[in-house]
Amino acid sequence: MSAGGAFGGNRGLRPVPPEKGIFPLDHMHECDQEKKDYLDCLKSSSHQSETCRRFSKKYLECRMAKNLMARQDMSELGFGN
């Protein structure tokens, strides 16, 4: 019998969330339109993300406005003025 959890995890050790890259799910669908616009742009541009930067920026701004992620300066997220 192993001392780990059912899937090999360590029991009793508290997981530490990553500093960035994970944030609450949008259970209330508050930014669905921005997400849809971004995904539609990706599909229509053969998944060239550079073409869709304005949509990704709007999506992140929506998430920050709705407290679905920590507020951060857009320049820190790769968006210049």
Side-chain angles (χ1 to χ4, degrees):
M1 201 94 209
S2 95
F7 298 102
N10 292 328
R11 288 188 183 182
L13 293 179
R14 191 168 157 241
V16 178
E19 192 174 314
K20 291 186 182 191
I22 209 152
F23 38 81
L25 296 176
D26 187 4
H27 292 291
M28 304 309 258
H29 307 282
E30 297 176 85
C31 296
D32 273 2
Q33 186 59 52
E34 289 82 356
K35 177 178 70 175
K36 182 185 180 320
D37 292 343
Y38 177 63
L39 293 174
D40 288 347
C41 179
L42 284 176
K43 286 177 188 173
S44 68
S45 68
S46 300
H47 298 279
Q48 298 297 314
S49 61
E50 187 62 34
T51 307
C52 304
R53 283 179 58 79
R54 68 185 182 278
F55 295 108
S56 111
K57 183 178 180 183
K58 284 197 166 287
Y59 176 64
L60 292 171
E61 288 172 336
C62 178
R63 291 191 63 87
M64 285 188 269
K66 307 287 185 178
N67 292 319
L68 293 168
M69 66 182 282
R71 187 156 291 281
Q72 219 171 335
D73 189 88
M74 293 307 285
S75 65
E76 293 176 23
L77 297 172
F79 296 95
N81 290 335

